[in-house]
Amino acid sequence: MELKLVKFIIPYWRRLLLVLLLSIVGTVLFILQPLIGKFIIDEVFVQKQYPFERALGIAVLLLFSTYLISAITRFIYMKTSLQMVTLMRTEFYHHLLNLPIQLFRKRRIGDLTTRLNEDISEIQRLYTDIILQIINLCLTLLFSLIVLFLFDWMMTLFCMILMPILLWGTHKFRNLLFKENLEMKEIGSRIQSFLFESLSSMKFIRSGSYNPWMQNKYTSLLESGNKQSIKLAVINTCAQSVPQFMIWFSTITLVWFLGIKVLEGSLTLGALLAFTAYQANLYSSVQGFAQVYIRIQSGKAAVNRINEFFSIPKETDGNGEISAFHSIIDLKGIHFSYDNSKRILENLSFSIEKGEKIAIIGESGSGKSTLVSLLARIYRPTQGTIYCDGVDIQMVKKESWHKQICFVSHDDPIWFGTIEEFLQSGKKKFSLMEMEKALMDVDLWNTIKQLPGMLKAELSERGVNLSAGQKQRLLLARAILLNPEILVLDEATCHLDSVAEQQIFKILQDKMTDKTIIVITHRLQNIGWVNQVVRMDQGQIVYEEGVFANGRLAKMSN
Ligand SMILES: Nc1ncnc2c1ncn2[C@@H]1O[C@H](COP(=O)(O)OP(=O)(O)O)[C@@H](O)[C@H]1O
Ligand SMILES: [Mg+2]
């Protein structure tokens, strides 16, 4: 399962290898310290056979180089792992943007951001930190064992007898920790989602004094998080107390036995100190392994959550190109349902000729927005095909299709950035004149002119510094600038008054005479200019004869 994530490590293997080598050198230098200590005590202080200054010099050099190497290692490691995390996050975000849209109804946004932030950081630690740690631990364990055996094999065997108890204790806590960690992450996600949803519905909360209700909800979520944290902390403490107790027990026993030998003169003081130091190293490395094991369990929860995500296939895209819209869009036998249970559109067929102006009307919930979102390829029909000049639009690259069609909806968002950036939206560079002209067309230029910086003025998050009507005008200005072959307005003028809506429609008619325009509106008095009226009723197209002077029967081919 980890294979999907290994690709994020591969680009950095050289630097990781360097980190690995440096940390091996660092560990070896660290392991040598007790031996040097023994040498200084026995040879310099007791036997007085080696010059004090020279021994001190060696010790200082050893300490200093151990420190230097570990600092360099940490720096290189940090830089590399940050780059790895950036790569992983970017890839995750990219994957996210290309997933089937249905998933976003099921998954809470907070859950996704938790995965993006915390889970990925945890994976980064798991993959890099832990590998380094394991290597260091192996070296420490091996070296300590060798030195201990050389000193006193019987006492070493005694130390080792206690190991299985230690490992058994750790193992016992493994599954429990894994389960509880997963639960902790779920609660974290729930809290994030709640925060995200409530903070972005501030107007609603204020409008009805829902604050206390929200506060209570947040407190109870936090409390469930606290309860889980305490539970986890207790389990963790129990899991770690097993090795801790083993270390105490063995150190006391060793000092007792070896202390007697020192008193009898059969063991030097330096050897006693070195032996206890290596014994502590041995235990702490075994304990380190146990902790690594526990961390891997908790990291695995993060790996599972990320892998689960990466294994959802991206939405398939076509690979054809569409360079222009020449004559006709045909919708043939379109069925659609959001979740395979309730049919939203039923066997719907009609066609739109190039240059036509179409109004889609009907009661709220009749399926108007759903129909146009199929055209904009937000969703794909469950059954049936939409053809553009005889080509199934699903077979065309989305990006290519979106060069032909521009979709403006009443719930389109306005996001951070300047007005200029928003108008360009990464698509085309428009000149200042063009932008100014488009803003004049939608009667927004006078407002923007007064903002500090004008087109360079920053839009605040979700455009809260604009009124609902001004936001719609801005979205319409962008559509006018893009001047697409097909323009779809899904109640994109609903926040304007009837006169303003009429003016916008007039401008669109003038500017886009040869372009195709599809509008959804509830104001029937404003659609006199269209040449086809499609009335939707419960997911089907109906036509009421005689209602619209300019309307003609929607072509129904079934
Ligand atoms: N994202 C969605 N998930 C599930 N059902 C939806 C979704 N959007 C709309 N619907 C349902 O589809 C039906 C048609 O909705 P919609 O196309 O938005 O109607 P209209 O735009 O005509 O008001 C409604 O019954 C609505 O409940
Ligand atoms: Mg709608």
Side-chain angles (χ1 to χ4, degrees):
M1 59 156 190
E2 275 83 2
L3 265 183
K4 285 192 200 78
L5 302 180
V6 167
K7 69 172 178 193
F8 299 108
I9 296 181
I10 290 171
Y12 302 102
W13 73 270
R14 277 194 194 86
R15 252 189 289 160
L16 286 174
L17 192 69
L18 177 67
V19 169
L20 207 70
L21 292 176
L22 283 173
S23 82
I24 290 176
V25 176
T27 312
V28 170
L29 290 178
F30 173 76
I31 297 172
L32 284 176
Q33 285 173 8
L35 275 186
I36 304 281
K38 175 193 176 300
F39 177 79
I40 291 177
I41 291 171
D42 290 346
E43 304 295 318
V44 180
F45 290 120
V46 180
Q47 311 270 345
K48 296 194 171 70
Q49 288 194 345
Y50 198 80
F52 176 60
E53 290 79 7
R54 206 184 290 172
L56 200 65
I58 292 173
V60 168
L61 196 69
L62 186 73
L63 282 176
F64 183 71
S65 41
T66 313
Y67 176 79
L68 195 69
I69 286 176
S70 99
I72 294 173
T73 316
R74 244 178 297 144
F75 175 75
I76 302 177
Y77 163 69
M78 192 180 127
K79 205 173 147 203
T80 314
S81 66
L82 282 176
Q83 285 170 336
M84 268 165 51
V85 167
T86 307
L87 186 69
M88 215 184 271
R89 291 212 168 110
T90 317
E91 182 86 359
F92 186 86
Y93 187 63
H94 171 76
H95 193 76
L96 194 66
L97 294 187
N98 288 291
L99 285 179
I101 194 159
Q102 279 83 347
L103 281 171
F104 292 84
R105 292 188 295 129
K106 292 195 198 122
R107 285 175 200 275
R108 294 165 310 220
I109 303 295
D111 174 57
L112 295 176
T113 50
T114 311
R115 289 180 200 226
L116 196 56
N117 292 323
E118 289 166 28
D119 289 347
I120 289 183
S121 299
E122 187 147 354
I123 290 174
Q124 173 242 339
R125 288 194 294 272
L126 177 72
Y127 272 75
T128 44
D129 245 18
I130 286 193
I131 294 171
L132 287 186
Q133 231 177 320
I134 290 177
I135 290 181
N136 286 351
L137 289 172
C138 283
L139 284 176
T140 315
L141 182 82
L142 202 74
F143 196 83
S144 306
L145 264 181
I146 293 172
V147 177
L148 285 173
F149 264 107
L150 292 178
F151 270 123
D152 190 328
W153 65 270
M154 263 173 46
M155 284 320 289
T156 310
L157 279 183
F158 163 75
C159 295
M160 289 184 65
I161 286 168
L162 299 172
M163 295 296 174
I165 307 174
L166 197 153
L167 293 175
W168 172 83
T170 311
H171 180 73
K172 277 278 137 198
F173 287 101
R174 185 195 83 131
N175 291 339
L176 198 59
L177 271 171
F178 182 64
K179 198 177 120 246
E180 298 302 336
N181 247 312
L182 207 62
E183 178 60 26
M184 187 73 233
K185 284 195 177 17
E186 289 299 325
I187 295 176
S189 290
R190 248 175 276 153
I191 294 177
Q192 284 250 20
S193 295
F194 176 82
L195 279 179
F196 186 84
E197 276 163 17
S198 61
L199 293 180
S200 47
S201 327
M202 219 30 151
K203 257 168 90 181
F204 163 76
I205 294 175
R206 293 284 166 84
S207 70
S209 287
Y210 296 114
N211 315 29
W213 177 45
M214 289 298 180
Q215 267 159 336
N216 287 342
K217 257 190 110 128
Y218 184 52
T219 313
S220 75
L221 274 171
L222 285 181
E223 277 167 358
S224 67
N226 289 351
K227 238 164 116 183
Q228 187 63 17
S229 295
I230 292 175
K231 198 169 170 188
L232 255 179
V234 170
I235 301 173
N236 253 319
T237 312
C238 293
Q240 282 170 20
S241 62
V242 180
Q244 200 57 56
F245 180 73
M246 296 279 109
I247 293 181
W248 289 340
F249 179 70
S250 138
T251 311
I252 293 168
T253 322
L254 272 182
V255 172
W256 185 14
F257 276 102
L258 296 181
I260 293 172
K261 283 193 179 179
V262 174
L263 288 177
E264 286 170 359
S266 58
L267 192 74
T268 64
L269 183 62
L272 166 71
L273 292 178
F275 197 93
T276 36
Y278 281 112
Q279 176 265 161
N281 272 357
L282 181 72
Y283 272 99
S284 62
S285 54
V286 173
Q287 191 185 13
F289 274 119
Q291 272 167 2
V292 162
Y293 186 62
I294 288 168
R295 269 186 64 194
I296 289 177
Q297 296 313 314
S298 97
K300 254 188 178 170
V303 171
N304 283 347
R305 282 162 56 88
I306 293 295
N307 265 342
E308 178 203 348
F309 209 81
F310 274 125
S311 52
I312 303 172
K314 285 185 194 165
E315 198 167 56
T316 49
D317 195 7
N319 46 22
E321 295 280 345
I322 207 160
S323 55
F325 169 38
H326 296 292
S327 66
I328 196 158
I329 293 173
D330 274 314
L331 287 90
K332 290 216 166 123
I334 302 293
H335 292 255
F336 182 77
S337 132
Y338 283 100
D339 47 16
N340 294 327
S341 60
K342 187 179 160 206
R343 282 209 157 175
I344 305 292
L345 299 180
E346 279 215 72
N347 199 21
L348 206 140
S349 301
F350 77 106
S351 49
I352 305 160
E353 280 165 28
K354 182 179 163 77
E356 256 193 311
K357 314 288 182 272
I358 296 177
I360 302 178
I361 59 169
E363 278 175 20
S364 156
S366 56
K368 305 180 298 293
S369 297
T370 308
L371 174 62
V372 287
S373 58
L374 297 184
L375 265 178
R377 286 188 59 189
I378 301 170
Y379 297 97
R380 58 162 65 206
T382 334
Q383 208 182 315
T385 315
I386 303 174
Y387 296 97
C388 175
D389 297 333
V391 177
D392 178 354
I393 61 167
Q394 308 295 339
M395 298 299 170
V396 174
K397 273 192 203 133
K398 257 193 182 156
E399 230 179 305
S400 174
W401 177 237
H402 288 147
K403 280 186 185 142
Q404 305 300 320
I405 187 167
C406 168
F407 178 73
V408 186
S409 158
H410 56 94
D411 55 7
D412 275 350
I414 306 259
W415 53 77
F416 276 125
T418 63
I419 294 173
E420 184 180 341
E421 269 178 312
F422 185 78
L423 287 174
Q424 297 182 334
S425 293
K427 292 219 166 180
K428 263 191 206 166
K429 280 258 174 234
F430 302 112
S431 71
L432 290 180
M433 283 281 284
E434 284 172 314
M435 285 189 274
E436 203 178 306
K437 180 78 189 44
L439 289 166
M440 276 179 192
D441 286 340
V442 296
D443 202 12
L444 193 61
W445 177 240
N446 282 336
T447 315
I448 288 178
K449 217 165 57 176
Q450 286 161 14
L451 297 176
M454 297 204 269
L455 284 171
K456 301 268 184 230
E458 287 277 336
L459 290 162
S460 49
E461 194 179 354
R462 287 172 291 119
V464 286
N465 49 352
L466 298 179
S467 77
Q470 287 169 336
K471 275 189 240 175
Q472 290 207 320
R473 288 179 197 271
L474 188 63
L475 287 160
L476 289 163
R478 183 169 64 174
I480 289 177
L481 278 168
L482 283 171
N483 193 24
E485 279 303 323
I486 307 155
L487 175 64
V488 182
L489 304 180
D490 180 4
E491 297 190 40
T493 42
C494 65
H495 293 303
L496 305 179
D497 59 58
S498 178
V499 177
E501 181 181 78
Q502 217 161 8
Q503 279 170 355
I504 298 267
F505 285 165
K506 175 83 181 52
I507 284 166
L508 291 178
Q509 265 171 276
D510 293 347
K511 290 199 158 282
M512 303 178 72
T513 26
D514 56 337
K515 309 279 162 133
T516 310
I517 304 179
I518 302 168
V519 291
I520 298 178
T521 177
H522 285 290
R523 295 196 192 101
L524 305 190
Q525 70 270 27
N526 288 347
I527 54 168
W529 54 285
V530 303
N531 41 29
Q532 185 178 184
V533 175
V534 174
R535 175 183 277 281
M536 299 273 311
D537 185 26
Q538 297 184 16
Q540 290 185 317
I541 293 179
V542 291
Y543 176 73
E544 287 165 38
E545 214 166 332
V547 175
F548 304 102
N550 294 324
R552 66 173 168 79
L553 186 68
K555 291 176 206 155
M556 299 188 52
S557 53
N558 55 327

